[in-house]
Amino acid sequence: MDFDDVLKAVGPRLRAIRRQRGVTLADLADATGISESTLSRLESGRRRANLELLLPLARAHGVPLDELVGAPDTGDPRVHLRPVRRNGRTFIPLTRRAGGLQAYKMIIPGADPRADPELRVHEGYEWLYVLDGRLRLRLGDQDLTLKPGEAAEFDTHVPHLFDSADDKPVELLTLFGQQGERAHIRARTA
C-alpha cells in the first residue's frame, strides 16, 4: 500500500471507529476541539489527515495513532511493556488504551515489619488476582491473606491497603476502573 492509499483509508477508518464506539460528530468535536465540519470532511476524505488532527482523535478514542492510520504490522509479535516504579512497587501496564478499565501486573516487594501504612480511599473499583507470593489485603475492618489463584474485588471508596503478607515479594494482576467500572465475567453454560 502506498502513501496516498494509506491517507485515503484514514477517513473511513475514523468513521468506523467513531460509529463503533457510538460517538456522534458533536461529541467528538467537544472532546477534541475540532469542528464538526472538519471531522465530517476528514471522515469523507474531503480533508487530508495530519498530525494536528490525528493526535487529538487518537487521544479521544483511546487508541494508538498507528491504529488510526492503519500502520502495517512490524512483524515483531512481542509486546514491549514499560514498567513504572512507584513507592517501591513495580507496575507493568497491560492496557494501552487511555481511560476506562486499566490492567496492570504489579510486583510488591516483601513487607517491612516496621512500616504501618495507612488505609487509602479514592475513586474507582479494583479487582486483584494473586499470581505468586502472599498478598495482605486490608479492606475496612477485614484483614485477609490471599494466596496464588485467589482474587478479590472491591469499591475503592472502602478504606483499603494491599501489601506483601510477609518478607517475600508478591506478584498480582490488577484491574482498576477510575470511574468505578467493574470487570464483567461471563461463564459459558453447557
Side-chain angles (χ1 to χ4, degrees):
M1 189 178 260
D2 71 0
F3 185 70
D4 285 332
D5 291 337
V6 169
L7 286 178
K8 286 177 188 170
V10 169
R13 188 172 291 108
L14 288 171
R15 179 177 286 127
I17 290 170
R18 180 180 60 78
R19 287 181 174 167
Q20 178 186 16
R21 296 173 190 274
V23 176
T24 66
L25 282 173
D27 293 336
L28 193 54
D30 287 343
T32 61
I34 301 169
S35 73
E36 285 183 60
S37 64
T38 298
L39 291 170
S40 177
R41 289 193 328 269
L42 189 59
E43 287 184 0
S44 69
R46 292 178 289 148
R47 171 84 189 248
R48 193 174 179 119
N50 61 40
L51 280 177
E52 189 176 334
L53 297 171
L54 292 175
L55 288 174
L57 289 168
R59 193 174 306 116
H61 288 308
V63 298
L65 188 58
D66 290 358
E67 189 173 321
L68 291 185
V69 296
D73 291 334
T74 62
D76 184 349
R78 293 174 295 177
V79 176
H80 300 282
L81 305 172
R82 290 192 175 92
V84 175
R85 287 184 176 45
R86 199 172 341 165
N87 300 325
R89 297 174 179 208
T90 302
F91 297 83
I92 303 167
L94 302 175
T95 47
R96 294 175 27 173
R97 186 166 107 61
L101 206 56
Q102 299 294 310
Y104 298 92
K105 177 178 180 184
M106 184 185 305
I107 303 166
I108 303 172
D112 180 352
R114 299 167 301 196
D116 188 24
E118 292 183 30
L119 299 176
R120 297 184 52 215
V121 174
H122 53 87
E123 288 293 321
Y125 199 87
E126 190 133 12
W127 181 86
L128 308 168
Y129 178 82
V130 180
L131 296 168
D132 191 35
R134 294 170 10 111
L135 180 75
R136 179 182 184 196
L137 173 62
R138 290 178 53 197
L139 188 59
D141 294 334
Q142 299 178 68
D143 195 344
L144 308 165
T145 300
L146 281 69
K147 299 177 204 130
E150 293 186 311
E153 63 176 321
F154 56 93
D155 183 330
T156 57
H157 289 105
V158 175
H160 64 280
L161 165 77
F162 50 94
D163 209 348
S164 175
D166 50 38
D167 62 347
K168 296 179 179 69
V170 61
E171 294 183 23
L172 60 138
L173 294 178
T174 178
L175 296 177
F176 175 75
Q178 187 75 33
Q179 302 301 318
E181 299 93 344
R182 295 179 70 160
H184 298 285
I185 300 170
R186 294 184 185 177
R188 284 191 183 176
T189 56

